[in-house]
Amino acid sequence: MSSMRTRSRTHRPAVLLAAVVLLPLPALAGCAGGRAGDEGEGPAAPRDIATAARAKVADKGTLTWAVDALPATFNVFQADADAAAQKVAQATLPTLFTLDERGRPQRNPDYLKAAELFQRKPRQVVVYKLNPRAVWSDGSAITAADFEAQWKALRGKDSAFWTARNAGYDRIDRVERGANDREVKVTFAKSYADWPALFTPLYPRSVMGSGGAFNDSARKELKVGAGPFKVGARDQKQNTLTLVRNPRWWGDPAKLDRLVLRAVPREQRVEALASGKADLAEISPAGAERIIKANTPPKKGDGANKPVAADATALRGLVVRKSLEPAYTQLALNGSSGPLADERVRRAVARAVDRKALAEFVLTPLGLPAEPMGSHVLVAGQEGYEDNSDAIGAPDPRAAQALLADAGWKEGHGAAPRKKALGQVPPAGHRPDLEAPAGQVTGAGDGKSAGDSGGKAAAAPARFKDGKKLMLRFVLPKGAGAEPLRAVGERIARQLDAIGVRTEIVGVDDASFFKDHIASGDFDLALYGWPTGAYPATDARPIFAKPQPAADGSLQVEQNYTRVGTDQIDRLFDQASTELDQEASRDLVARADARIWAAAGSIPLYQRPELVGVRKTVVNAGAFGLATPRYQDMGFAR
């Protein structure tokens, strides 16, 4: 580890284990009416939501959606905002721009008659024309005053507001009333390409008007909103939060009477669906397999007279919806100290990892496209996606070994023979030829090796430099829900064995995995994920920003937990964020992505699967893929 202390600022949560936390992803870039019909490839996997016309959806009902936890706050601009808070915000607050099935931005006509880049020079000016029917749930109009209050709260100039992020708001010079209260004129001090990301969600000035209100008023309750739903009762005993129809909503009315968020541990999701305690829940591959198996008719002569298990009967009312999330799993390499501080060693690790094989291992059994990720900033199907992985090169063990030799790591002698690891049972259903665990396996604090193993591929002799063996600490969560992640880690360990890089796999508690190890830099290798958004120039910059020394002696890493960055990458992101020509901005982002590949601090492996268990009668909800959910259309088939 580095001798400097490190600290990070919360901007956007990482994707941990089976959970994905996404900040709002509505978008557009520079036109009043959104975009449609653009040329290009669609998403790798389409959304899967049992689409039904509104006339075919019942005008009643309660849908229960399982979540990891009830919202810690309803203010998504606070550091502890979570996935449930994002769902509540999308259902109850103004979302000025939404994403279509390809993750492309669209103006939301419920809130905006128009939104246009009115002027580029000498200063960028954006004009919003609000829907004249748009009102807060207390009956007051949504006006320019709400926009102004949100800008002042989030611009980062007043320490009384405990904000988690201010990207974009810090570039605004002023927000003012236009021709009338329903027109908002925003003038920028510095050009901002991702301006449509601003003011979503939009909070009333009663929340944004003062530091005290911002910090406290929307933590436990959200008294005023402006969406198809509004926040209702929270039941701590039942672990539920109820959203109810907003009677002052002016758009298409919500089909559901109530949308209930229920906190359900992931290992209990299938049982909650089967028992009726949930109607919609993100589930694990093992849970999806249970539901699919229960709904698969037995083959002729295959136990036709066998009694049907009660579990299978309950599961027959469910279906698995599946897509790919706008997020990916990566191998992170901590470049702050140790062998991985040498770019040649990081590049050797990158050239040793067979990303295609790992993508196939994870995604093919799920019936999902199994292409490896080619970008750090966008997923396949998003506008501007490019495969820039050729900046690091294809998997090549010989090239990897040459890089190690060039860095001074030579094949040594007298290394102990590889032994089979103990105490780790691979998840059920994995292929037999890939079952053997690899690497030295230890607990988080016991420091005792459980041995190593080779797996199917032969291990190359270990590498040594100055008498020290090349050994990397590979930190992985050890909870039951992280078994698929550990299985990927085992395969990576075997691939590294083949070039003489040994790994010590360290299992840590799920709760401490991110805070105590990833964020603090206590790892050499780790697996975790990141969401991608419609605004890579803004969203990706803090993830790959070059760490900077702070005045107190700490290292300010923002969200760059690999501690690998360059001035050139920072410049490219800065240029992309100020470039108002979309094509030019995307080109700059692609160039930044190629440099990130070459720096080899992060190796994207595969787009993350989205598996959702859903009651068969549920429509317009499920695996949303790249699209923003439309909450007012969710419900049950007539």
Side-chain angles (χ1 to χ4, degrees), residues 535-546:
Y535 310 104
T538 297
D539 295 339
R541 192 210 64 81
I543 300 171
F544 303 106
K546 182 180 178 180

Side-chain angles (χ1 to χ4, degrees), residues 86-154:
Q86 305 300 334
K87 288 181 173 63
V88 172
Q90 288 180 333
T92 66
L93 290 166
T95 298
L96 303 189
F97 303 98
T98 59
L99 300 183
D100 67 8
E101 292 182 55
R102 286 185 53 199
R104 295 175 301 183
Q106 305 289 324
R107 173 180 57 85
N108 188 342
D110 284 332
Y111 300 102
L112 294 175
K113 288 177 60 180
E116 58 184 347
L117 183 57
F118 182 77
Q119 175 180 298
R120 294 171 183 257
K121 292 181 178 181
R123 285 191 169 188
Q124 176 184 353
V125 177
V126 173
V127 175
Y128 300 88
K129 295 183 178 179
L130 304 177
N131 185 331
R133 300 173 62 202
V135 296
W136 297 108
S137 55
D138 63 1
S140 61
I142 299 174
T143 70
D146 298 299
F147 284 70
E148 183 180 17
Q150 184 147 320
W151 160 58
K152 289 181 176 178
L154 299 179

Side-chain angles (χ1 to χ4, degrees), residues 28-48:
L28 182 73
C31 64
R35 299 192 309 278
D38 290 4
E39 298 298 324
E41 297 181 0
R47 66 177 178 176
D48 185 5

Side-chain angles (χ1 to χ4, degrees), residues 116-332:
E116 58 184 347
L117 183 57
F118 182 77
Q119 175 180 298
R120 294 171 183 257
K121 292 181 178 181
R123 285 191 169 188
Q124 176 184 353
V125 177
V126 173
V127 175
Y128 300 88
K129 295 183 178 179
L130 304 177
N131 185 331
R133 300 173 62 202
V135 296
W136 297 108
S137 55
D138 63 1
S140 61
I142 299 174
T143 70
D146 298 299
F147 284 70
E148 183 180 17
Q150 184 147 320
W151 160 58
K152 289 181 176 178
L154 299 179
R155 61 182 169 173
K157 290 187 177 180
D158 190 340
S159 60
F161 294 86
W162 300 342
T163 64
R165 53 196 168 97
N166 56 24
Y169 294 97
D170 56 356
R171 298 195 185 188
I172 295 174
D173 178 64
R174 61 186 182 273
V175 176
E176 55 195 335
R177 181 182 183 271
N180 53 57
D181 278 346
R182 295 305 187 111
E183 186 172 292
V184 186
K185 182 181 178 182
V186 179
T187 303
F188 290 79
K190 182 180 181 182
S191 294
Y192 187 50
D194 293 335
W195 62 265
L198 303 172
F199 305 110
T200 292
L202 179 69
Y203 284 84
R205 56 188 179 276
S206 60
V207 171
M208 293 287 178
S210 69
F214 179 92
N215 301 333
D216 299 319
S217 68
R219 288 200 64 81
K220 298 300 181 185
E221 58 183 356
L222 188 61
K223 294 180 179 178
V224 177
F229 289 91
K230 65 177 186 177
V231 175
R234 183 191 294 249
D235 187 327
Q236 293 297 142
K237 289 186 178 180
Q238 296 295 321
N239 281 323
T240 60
L241 172 70
T242 299
L243 307 182
V244 298
R245 277 200 194 108
N246 175 8
R248 291 190 181 272
W249 173 245
W250 59 93
D252 290 336
K255 287 293 184 177
L256 292 167
D257 297 313
R258 289 171 293 277
L259 177 61
V260 177
L261 303 182
R262 182 190 296 274
V264 181
R266 288 184 174 264
E267 64 273 14
Q268 298 176 21
R269 297 273 174 90
V270 174
E271 283 70 21
L273 288 164
S275 66
K277 290 184 177 180
D279 302 298
L280 179 70
E282 186 178 349
I283 56 177
S284 67
E289 185 179 10
R290 283 179 59 191
I291 294 173
I292 292 170
K293 188 176 290 186
N295 284 275
T296 302
K299 294 180 181 177
K300 197 170 184 180
D302 183 19
N305 298 318
K306 206 187 273 187
V308 179
D311 178 69
T313 301
L315 296 180
R316 285 178 182 170
L318 307 174
V319 65
V320 175
R321 303 288 177 198
K322 56 187 177 181
S323 185
L324 291 171
E325 296 177 352
Y328 62 87
T329 296
Q330 66 168 346
L331 175 64

